[in-house]
Amino acid sequence: MPQDRRSSFTRHSSQDMRSSSAPGGVEHAVRVELDGLVNQMPSGLEKDKFSKEMDDFYRLFTRFLHEKKHSKPLDWEKVRGPKPEDVIMYKDLDQKNINQVSPLLNKLAVLKLNGGLGTTMGCVGPKSAIEVRDGQTFLDLTVQQIEYLNQAAGADVPLILMNSFNTDEDTSKIVQKYINHNVSICTFNQSRYPRFKADSNLPLARTPENKPGFWYPPGHGDLYESFANSGLLDQLIEEGKEWVFVSNVDNLGATVDPVILQHMADTGAEFVMEVTDKTKADIKGGTIIDYDGQVRLLEIAQVPKAHVDDFKRVKKFKIFNTNNLWISLKAIKRLVASQKLDLDLIVNNKTTDDGTAVIQLETAVGAAIKHFSGAHGVNVPRSRFLPVKSTSDLFLVTSDLYLLENGQLRMNPKRTFKTVPVVKLGDHFKKVNDYLARFKAPPQILELDHLTVTGDVSFSSDVTLEGTVIIVANHGAHIDIPRGAILNDKVVSGDLRLLDH
């Protein structure tokens, strides 16, 4: 772009910023900035797509300004637990198997939220490419699941991946290896929105170039607009698809369930959210509530500070959102076209590497529950929620606690109690490479209830952990759990003495 045009654009923006105290000043200044970013793009489809994204961002931004001035905080007195008809028990639904719903499967698409990186676990690239079981990745297991489904039921269920600009390039290369598999794979990108400065409200980016730190993917609530903008939504509807099953790619329990699919068809509900019973490990999870007679998703970020402890109590809010969602495709098309999907804003304050305070506006896909006809929750077994957010989760899914069949994990029938053990691995295990280096092989944990490991600890092969096991290596100390060790209700301290626990 010529230098004089850039300078003119900058002066114009600064002038608008100075006048931003006037009514509509900030909105106008931001609109000018966004138009300037769009005008730097060469004409074509990419420019049209980018322009649409900036329009969607602007609509979100103006909502942010309006709510900042006029919105009232959540009235805690109006927050009620869900009405009985708002959350149905899975066990009360008609039990069906895959073959009994094969005609419905041909009306279904599966969509995995694939925008996240594996950085929290010390990995580079898409989280879906992390090896989680027997040398296979999240994506490998997902493809196996859909392929088995298509073969067993004679169906044609496509797999759709919603990538972010962080994961798209790597994912495009990875999916090439599935080209001969019995599954059709499509991808699309969620939006790319500009971070904006907390003081001026103006975008940080000066060009549309995807520079690190200047842009962000705006949360999975962006699915609806991005899905529609990609053209895939219309394509699926034209092919006769009626529903999409949405879930996080790192939730190994989120498989196509014939019982819920049949329930969608029988009830005509446009939106079903899978929820499951809360444990103390899930106290921050969003939950379905009744608010002024309307079913809504309540996230912890929306709870007034004075009531956060109340929100976390398992006795009052007994369920949480697994982010496994079953949604009508035609309903998505209708709501996006009418621009009525105003999802609750999540204002995420960040600081750049140079110390600039910036804001990201995000939304959650489940917050749309209030906009769909007949929307409700189904309380599903815990087995449908097996996320891998940390190496402590990885420890569980790689163990003998689960058996792997056709890409699906199911709890080992040899386990006496069907609850999942509580596992807390310390900072020495936080990154996947460190975790793998400290376990020669996964321990046997069929009878484990609780495991806490902190400090410099390593495990040899053929180790068995039972009951409650606590292993603590103090600063400067190192503990090696020897080959063939059986730890049953034990505390192992820094000098490797075994104590009854």
Side-chain angles (χ1 to χ4, degrees):
M1 187 180 71
Q3 180 64 40
D4 58 338
R5 182 178 170 190
R6 179 164 35 231
S7 301
S8 170
F9 174 59
T10 304
R11 286 198 300 272
H12 188 61
S13 300
S14 301
Q15 192 175 32
D16 277 312
M17 195 174 88
R18 287 195 296 272
S19 65
S20 64
S21 58
V26 175
E27 292 96 325
H28 178 65
V30 169
R31 182 73 264 182
V32 169
E33 293 269 344
L34 297 177
D35 290 344
L37 291 170
V38 172
N39 289 334
Q40 293 179 56
M41 296 275 288
S43 295
L45 289 176
E46 282 302 308
K47 180 174 182 176
D48 293 343
K49 179 176 178 291
F50 183 67
S51 177
K52 180 70 171 67
E53 286 182 348
M54 293 306 96
D55 287 345
D56 289 343
F57 168 77
Y58 183 70
R59 195 164 67 249
L60 203 64
F61 175 78
T62 54
R63 269 186 61 207
F64 161 72
L65 291 182
H66 178 80
E67 291 182 12
K68 198 174 177 182
K69 286 184 179 180
H70 304 292
S71 71
K72 296 177 182 178
L74 191 78
D75 185 348
W76 196 249
E77 296 302 314
K78 294 182 179 178
V79 175
R80 299 279 184 273
K83 297 190 289 289
E85 63 268 26
D86 289 340
V87 178
I88 298 166
M89 297 302 295
Y90 180 88
K91 62 181 177 60
D92 293 335
L93 302 180
D94 288 340
Q95 299 302 300
K96 300 283 184 179
N97 61 40
I98 289 297
N99 291 322
Q100 288 175 305
V101 299
S102 54
L104 299 179
L105 286 170
N106 283 315
K107 299 179 181 180
L108 180 72
V110 171
L111 192 157
K112 293 290 182 178
L113 304 172
N114 186 48
L117 296 170
T119 49
T120 55
M121 295 170 69
C123 296
V124 178
K127 189 176 182 182
S128 57
I130 296 174
E131 291 185 359
V132 288
R133 179 82 187 210
D134 301 342
Q136 298 175 93
T137 67
F138 289 108
L139 210 45
D140 291 338
L141 296 178
T142 299
V143 169
Q144 281 184 38
Q145 291 167 15
I146 306 297
E147 190 172 32
Y148 171 72
L149 191 69
N150 286 337
Q151 288 173 345
D156 180 22
V157 178
L159 172 62
I160 301 162
L161 301 173
M162 184 175 85
N163 302 329
S164 68
F165 60 82
N166 291 319
T167 63
D168 181 58
E169 186 176 346
D170 287 338
T171 301
S172 296
K173 294 173 184 175
I174 292 167
V175 297
Q176 294 302 313
K177 70 177 181 177
Y178 308 120
I179 199 162
N180 293 319
H181 288 246
N182 184 24
V183 56
S184 172
I185 302 176
C186 303
T187 68
F188 70 95
N189 271 18
Q190 66 181 115
S191 299
R192 181 170 67 102
Y193 283 176
R195 286 174 155 183
F196 59 92
K197 298 175 185 177
D199 55 0
S200 68
N201 286 327
L202 295 178
L204 197 62
R206 306 301 305 144
T207 74
E209 184 184 350
N210 190 23
K211 291 182 179 178
F214 286 73
W215 302 84
Y216 71 98
H220 43 57
D222 178 61
L223 177 148
Y224 304 103
E225 277 80 9
S226 293
F227 196 12
N229 293 345
S230 71
L232 268 174
L233 178 63
D234 284 337
Q235 181 184 321
L236 290 169
I237 292 172
E238 286 172 12
E239 291 172 357
K241 305 299 182 188
E242 293 187 20
W243 306 284
V244 61
F245 172 48
V246 178
S247 62
N248 297 336
V249 74
D250 64 4
N251 180 5
L252 295 175
T255 58
V256 171
D257 187 285
V259 175
I260 301 178
L261 179 58
Q262 184 69 57
H263 177 68
M264 287 289 289
D266 290 344
T267 61
E270 293 183 343
F271 188 107
V272 165
M273 173 184 289
E274 292 186 38
V275 297
T276 196
D277 291 343
K278 240 184 196 183
T279 68
K280 289 185 178 178
D282 315 306
I283 55 176
K284 294 183 179 179
T287 188
I288 289 181
I289 61 166
D290 177 89
Y291 191 79
D292 259 356
Q294 184 184 44
V295 61
R296 282 180 58 173
L297 177 69
L298 177 64
E299 300 278 6
I300 192 168
Q302 300 166 277
V303 177
K305 287 184 179 179
H307 299 286
V308 168
D309 287 342
D310 197 18
F311 175 82
K312 291 180 179 179
R313 289 193 185 98
V314 176
K315 285 186 179 179
K316 180 165 185 177
F317 297 102
K318 299 177 181 179
I319 55 172
F320 73 98
N321 170 28
T322 65
N323 224 35
N324 299 349
L325 309 170
W326 301 74
I327 315 173
S328 159
L329 293 170
K330 288 181 179 177
I332 294 175
K333 181 177 173 65
R334 182 188 77 240
L335 289 167
V336 170
S338 64
Q339 294 191 349
K340 287 184 178 177
L341 271 172
D342 287 341
L343 308 186
D344 298 323
L345 280 178
I346 299 169
V347 180
N348 204 339
N349 292 285
K350 300 276 187 178
T351 304
T352 63
D353 292 340
D354 66 1
T356 304
V358 295
I359 295 174
Q360 297 180 181
L361 299 180
E362 302 174 15
T363 55
V365 63
I369 189 171
K370 62 185 179 182
H371 293 292
F372 287 87
S373 174
H376 61 275
V378 172
N379 191 338
V380 298
R382 183 77 184 198
S383 58
R384 292 194 56 75
F385 185 67
L386 282 178
V388 180
K389 304 292 185 187
S390 66
T391 52
S392 297
D393 297 328
L394 191 60
F395 174 87
L396 290 170
V397 300
T398 56
S399 73
D400 60 344
L401 189 69
Y402 294 102
L403 302 178
L404 180 63
E405 295 176 354
N406 303 311
Q408 299 186 29
L409 292 182
R410 67 179 183 91
M411 189 170 284
N412 194 326
K414 293 180 181 177
R415 179 165 171 83
T416 305
F417 301 103
K418 299 309 175 188
T419 54
V420 177
V422 175
V423 175
K424 298 177 182 178
L425 301 179
D427 289 343
H428 285 73
F429 296 80
K430 192 171 184 180
K431 295 183 177 179
V432 170
N433 286 342
D434 294 335
Y435 164 86
L436 292 173
R438 291 179 179 278
F439 284 102
K440 288 268 180 73
Q444 297 170 44
I445 63 168
L446 279 178
E447 301 302 325
L448 180 68
D449 298 319
H450 179 109
L451 173 67
T452 294
V453 185
T454 58
D456 185 6
V457 180
S458 295
F459 293 78
S460 294
S461 57
D462 198 28
V463 172
T464 301
L465 305 174
E466 300 174 344
T468 297
V469 178
I470 299 173
I471 305 171
V472 180
N474 295 324
H475 183 69
H478 174 78
I479 294 177
D480 276 314
I481 305 300
R483 179 184 178 89
I486 299 174
L487 303 182
N488 186 331
D489 286 336
K490 297 291 182 182
V491 171
V492 180
S493 65
D495 58 6
L496 205 57
R497 288 179 302 169
L498 298 183
L499 307 171
D500 286 331
H501 178 75

